[in-house]
Amino acid sequence: MAVAETQLYAKVSNKHRSKSTSVLLEPLLAKGFPAHIAQKALAATGQKSIEDAAKWLHSHCNDPSLDDPIPQEYALYLCPTGRFHNHLQEFWKESKRQCGKNRAHEIFPHITLCDFFTCEDQKVELLYDTLKRVSDSFSQHFPPSISLSLHSSTSYLGFFIGDSHANILKEFALAFSSEASALADCHVKPCLKQLHLTLAHKFYPHHQKTLEQLAKCINPGETCQWVAALYSRDMRFVHYQTLRALFQYKPQNMDELMINAGDLIYVDPTQQSDVSEGWVIGTSHRTGCRGFLPENYTERASESDTWVKHREYVFVTASRFFTQTENEPNGKLNGEVHIPSMSRSITNVLSLQNATLRRGVLVMRHGERVDQVFGKSWLQQCLTADGKYYRADLNFPSTLPKRKDSMKHFEYDPPLSCCGIFQSRLIGEALLDQEVTVSYVYSSPALRCVQTAQHILQGLKLDQKVKIRVEPGLFEWTKWEASRIIPNFMTVTELAEASYKIDISYRGNFPLSSLVPSESYEEYISRSSEVIKQITTACPSKGKGVILIVGHGSSLASFTRPLIGLPARDSSDFAEVVRKIPSLGMCFCEELKEENKWQMVNPPVKTLTHGANAAFNWRNAMVED
C-alpha cells in the first residue's frame, strides 16, 4: 500500500461508524448492495436520488477502490448568482480567450468560507442539517449586497470583501465549523483571513493590464443572490491534472483504459515519465478504473469539473429556502455558459481592443513526414535497383521533386507523406472557413515545411497570391539533427522549378552558412529570438493580417515566448514540451499596437487529431497459418 493511501486510511480507520438513517439508503440495501458501498455511492453523487447512486455503483463495478473506506472531502463556498454571476462568466471567458488559462479558471467564481475537510459517508446528512440550521439563523443578518473592492497585483486579481460584511461571513463560517465539528465529527477550518472572490491568479505579469481592463467592466453592485453551497471532491486526486476525453477509445490491450467522449480522467504528472510517447496513464472519474489511454484523445479540463454539489442555501430578502437538488439557473458552474447578450461595458472594451489589433503571428509545425511513418530507412524502401523512386506504400508521395544533387539527400530532408499533404490542405481550408487573412508566409528551408506552407496556401486559395519566403533561421535546433550536420536543402531555385510558390527575391535574415551544427540551446534560443524580431519588423503593421510561420515542433515555444516577452524555458522542460507537439500543432499571437506588445490567444482553428494505421499484409493475415 502506498504511503499516501496509508495516511488516508488512518484518518478514518479508528472512527465509530453509526448507521445512516438516509431514506435513500434502504432501497439500495434492498438491491443487495453492502451498506458501506451504498453510502459511498450516495456521498459520491451528492445524495440526490436512488437512480444516480445506482448508476454510479454500476459504473464502478470494476473499481478496485470500491471497498476503500476513504471519504470525500467537503468545502463550503459562497457563490454568486444572477446578473453579477453572468458578468463574472463573461470575464472568465474573455480573460481565457485573451490571456490564456490561469489558476482561477480551475474553479467557478466563489468566496471560500471553509477549507476542504473530510466527513464520513454515513454522516454527510448531518452536514446538510448543519448548513440549513446555521443558514436559517444567519439569514436575517445576511447583507442584502456584499461590498466588493477590486484589488490587483502582478499575480492576483480579485474582489476583496468589505470589513463589515466580511465579519458577518466569518461568523457564519465559524458557526458552521463549530456545529459540523460537533454533529458530524469533522475537523472544519473556517476561513478567517481576508475574504475574497478571485478573478485571476498566477497569470503572466504582462497580462495584468489587460485583465484589469476586463475586470473594471464588472459592476460589483450588480443584482446578485448569494448561495452557500457544499461541494465535495475525491481526496485521492487533489494534486492530479484533470483531462476530458474528446473521443471514445476502446482498449486494444489489457492495460488500456476504456473511455467515452466526455469522460474525466485523473492523471498524476509525476507518473508519466516512463509512459510511451503519445500515451498517459490515468484513472477514470466515471468508472474508477486505471489504465493507459492516447493523450491526443483528451484535452485539459478544470479541477472543479469532477466536484459534486451536495446542498445549497439561497439567501434572499423576501423569502428563503433550502433545496436538496442542484439549482444552477445560469447553466453549469465553471462551464462556458452561453450569455445571450454581452454587457455593454465589456463589449465596448472588446471593440476598443479589437481596433488596436494590427497583426497576428501563427506559428505552426509541419505536417506528417515520411520518416515519421516509415522510419529513417524510408528512402531505401522506395528506390529500385537502378536508383529510381517508386511508391512503396500509398502514404508515400507519388513523386519526389527534382534536385540537382543526389536523391539520397532526401534522407535527411524528407518530404511530407500523403497524409501530411492532406493534413496541410485541411488546415488551409479551415483557416479559409474562419476568414483568416494570411498576408505573409515564412518557411523553414526543410522540404517538409515548404510543402506544408504550399498546401496550406492551396487550402486558403492564396497559392497564386502569396509567395513563400524561405528563411534558414527558422530551421529547428540543429542539436536534434540525426546526421549531426546541416542537411543539404533544395535551393530556392530548385523549389521554384518544382512548382512551389517561392519568393525567389527574398533574402533570408540568416543565410544557410550561418547555421551551426549541434548548436547549444542558448545559441538556438538567441537565433530564434532574433529571427522572429526581424520577421515582425519586416512585415508592415498597417491593417490586419496574419504572418504564417511554418517551422518545427521546437518553433512553437522558441518563437512565441520571446514575442510575448517571456524568458526561454529550461532546456529539459523545452524538450519535454516539444515532444508532445503533434503534426500541424500551432500557437497564435496577436499584436496590441496601442500597448506595443503581443499576447498569445487561442488559434483560429482547432487541431487535427487522428489515429495510427498500421501496414496490412492480406496474405499473412488471411491465407498463411
Side-chain angles (χ1 to χ4, degrees):
M1 184 183 299
V3 174
E5 292 181 354
T6 303
Q7 293 172 345
L8 292 176
Y9 275 91
K11 292 183 179 181
V12 297
S13 60
N14 296 321
K15 290 188 176 183
H16 174 69
R17 288 177 169 75
S18 60
K19 291 185 177 180
S20 171
T21 57
S22 170
V23 294
L24 300 176
L25 180 61
E26 293 301 326
L28 293 175
L29 296 178
K31 293 177 181 288
F33 294 110
H36 69 288
I37 291 180
Q39 288 165 342
K40 187 171 188 174
L42 288 169
T45 56
Q47 297 212 25
K48 294 179 180 65
S49 69
I50 299 169
E51 291 75 17
D52 285 347
K55 182 179 178 181
W56 187 93
L57 287 165
H58 176 73
S59 297
H60 285 257
C61 62
N62 295 317
D63 184 351
S65 67
L66 193 59
D67 282 317
D68 292 354
I70 300 174
Q72 296 276 306
E73 276 191 324
Y74 298 82
L76 184 63
Y77 287 163
L78 189 67
C79 303
T81 65
R83 294 178 63 183
F84 181 52
H85 173 267
N86 291 351
H87 292 326
L88 290 172
Q89 289 287 23
E90 291 171 11
F91 173 85
W92 242 247
K93 182 178 180 179
E94 199 54 38
S95 63
K96 186 185 295 186
R97 187 188 75 83
Q98 294 196 34
C99 302
K101 194 172 182 179
N102 62 68
R103 267 304 273 156
H105 291 119
E106 292 289 336
I107 309 174
F108 42 80
H110 70 280
I111 299 170
T112 303
L113 298 179
C114 295
D115 292 335
F116 275 98
F117 60 91
T118 58
C119 179
E120 295 177 74
D121 295 339
Q122 66 269 32
K123 295 182 179 179
V124 175
E125 282 188 304
L126 298 175
L127 290 182
Y128 304 162
D129 295 339
T130 299
L131 176 60
K132 184 179 187 308
R133 192 158 36 244
V134 173
S135 299
D136 278 341
S137 65
F138 272 82
S139 60
Q140 298 296 332
H141 310 290
F142 195 87
S145 63
I146 294 179
S147 174
L148 301 171
S149 59
L150 189 63
H151 173 79
S152 177
S153 71
T154 55
S155 63
Y156 176 84
L157 180 72
F159 289 115
F160 280 3
I161 316 302
D163 289 343
S164 60
H165 293 163
N167 290 335
I168 297 174
L169 298 182
K170 290 176 182 178
E171 290 176 12
F172 174 76
L174 270 171
F176 176 84
S177 170
S178 177
E179 190 156 340
S181 300
L183 288 180
D185 193 23
C186 301
H187 178 64
V188 184
K189 182 181 178 182
C191 291
L192 301 179
K193 295 182 180 180
Q194 174 69 62
L195 295 184
H196 55 274
L197 191 158
T198 299
L199 296 176
H201 181 42
K202 291 188 177 179
F203 48 84
Y204 291 124
H206 67 278
H207 286 153
Q208 181 181 358
K209 187 174 180 181
T210 301
L211 292 168
E212 285 178 354
Q213 284 184 319
L214 291 173
K216 288 175 182 177
C217 299
I218 304 172
N219 178 12
E222 190 65 84
T223 304
C224 178
Q225 286 185 342
W226 291 90
V227 177
L230 197 64
Y231 286 89
S232 76
R233 68 184 183 187
D234 193 321
M235 63 191 298
R236 296 172 299 165
F237 304 111
V238 170
H239 299 296
Y240 284 49
Q241 290 179 350
T242 306
L243 303 180
R244 178 181 288 103
L246 297 171
F247 316 102
Q248 183 186 61
Y249 179 74
K250 295 182 179 180
Q252 307 297 312
N253 298 290
M254 291 291 292
D255 59 354
E256 295 175 3
L257 185 65
M258 171 69 187
I259 57 173
N260 293 328
D263 279 1
L264 296 165
I265 314 295
Y266 299 109
V267 172
D268 184 354
T270 65
Q271 296 179 357
Q272 307 305 315
S273 57
D274 296 330
V275 178
S276 300
E277 183 176 353
W279 292 78
V280 293
I281 185 169
T283 302
S284 169
H285 171 70
R286 179 176 60 86
T287 66
C289 296
R290 177 179 167 85
F292 294 94
L293 65 149
E295 187 175 18
N296 63 356
Y297 275 48
T298 66
E299 65 179 359
R300 283 292 299 273
S302 298
E303 175 186 331
S304 59
D305 286 351
T306 60
W307 294 2
V308 176
K309 183 195 281 189
H310 286 254
R311 299 294 184 270
E312 63 180 21
Y313 190 102
V314 183
F315 292 97
V316 293
T317 53
S319 61
R320 57 190 182 275
F321 60 90
F322 178 76
T323 177
Q324 293 195 351
T325 58
E326 288 195 9
N327 181 17
E328 298 180 11
N330 296 308
K332 180 185 176 184
L333 288 174
N334 194 50
E336 294 191 357
V337 298
H338 174 69
I339 308 298
S341 60
M342 184 177 279
S343 67
R344 181 173 300 174
S345 55
I346 286 189
T347 303
N348 290 341
V349 167
L350 295 183
S351 298
L352 175 63
Q353 291 183 344
N354 285 334
T356 64
L357 291 175
R358 293 294 182 265
R359 293 177 294 172
V361 171
L362 182 60
V363 183
M364 191 180 302
R365 187 189 180 193
H366 55 75
E368 181 184 86
R369 47 194 274 184
V370 290
D371 60 336
Q372 182 181 338
V373 183
F374 300 103
K376 296 188 182 301
S377 61
W378 68 273
L379 191 58
Q380 299 173 23
Q381 303 172 44
C382 298
L383 293 180
T384 62
D386 56 356
K388 293 183 179 179
Y389 174 82
Y390 76 100
R391 196 178 191 181
D393 184 284
L394 285 180
N395 201 19
F396 282 113
S398 57
T399 59
L400 292 179
K402 293 182 180 180
R403 55 188 304 164
K404 295 176 182 178
D405 53 16
S406 173
M407 186 181 291
K408 291 184 178 180
H409 288 303
F410 283 125
E411 183 176 355
Y412 295 111
D413 185 25
L416 293 179
S417 67
C418 277
C419 284
I421 293 171
F422 169 74
Q423 292 170 337
S424 304
R425 192 170 293 128
L426 195 63
I427 290 292
E429 291 171 355
L431 291 169
L432 180 64
D433 289 341
Q434 295 300 315
E435 299 181 350
V436 175
T437 302
V438 172
S439 302
Y440 303 92
V441 178
Y442 288 81
S443 171
S444 161
L447 177 59
R448 56 193 180 275
C449 299
V450 174
Q451 290 178 320
T452 299
Q454 171 87 357
H455 292 290
I456 288 174
L457 285 174
Q458 288 179 355
L460 275 164
K461 298 182 179 179
L462 290 175
D463 51 312
Q464 301 301 320
K465 299 179 181 179
V466 179
K467 291 189 176 182
I468 302 167
R469 296 177 174 180
V470 178
E471 173 54 64
L474 295 176
F475 189 56
E476 66 181 340
W477 187 8
T478 59
K479 179 183 177 181
W480 287 345
E481 271 301 295
S483 64
R484 301 299 179 187
I485 60 173
I486 305 301
N488 284 337
F489 301 115
M490 294 179 64
T491 66
V492 291
T493 302
E494 288 175 325
L495 290 169
E497 289 174 351
S499 299
Y500 296 110
K501 304 301 180 182
I502 304 297
D503 184 350
I504 57 175
S505 65
Y506 175 74
R507 295 294 177 264
N509 297 297
F510 285 78
L512 276 172
S513 58
S514 68
L515 292 179
V516 180
S518 299
E519 65 189 329
S520 68
Y521 181 61
E522 291 72 22
E523 288 173 329
Y524 171 66
I525 291 301
S526 176
R527 166 164 65 91
S528 299
S529 299
E530 186 62 28
V531 75
I532 192 65
K533 178 181 177 181
Q534 293 188 13
I535 286 175
T536 54
T537 301
C539 297
S541 59
K542 293 181 180 180
K544 297 181 181 179
V546 171
I547 304 168
L548 172 62
I549 296 177
V550 181
H552 308 266
S554 56
S555 305
L556 272 66
S558 62
F559 296 144
T560 59
R561 288 180 71 87
L563 191 61
I564 62 177
L566 293 180
R569 292 181 179 273
D570 180 83
S571 59
S572 59
D573 293 337
F574 177 78
E576 182 66 21
V577 169
V578 172
R579 185 178 69 87
K580 297 181 179 180
I581 296 174
S583 299
L584 292 165
M586 65 186 81
C587 286
F588 189 56
C589 298
E590 287 181 335
E591 183 185 35
L592 294 176
K593 187 69 174 179
E594 189 178 68
E595 300 177 26
N596 192 30
K597 70 177 185 180
W598 293 79
Q599 64 177 3
M600 191 176 294
V601 297
N602 288 330
V605 297
K606 299 292 185 181
T607 55
L608 176 65
T609 304
H610 58 83
N613 194 53
F616 174 70
N617 186 313
W618 64 269
R619 186 180 301 278
N620 293 342
M622 302 299 166
V623 180
E624 296 183 3
D625 295 328

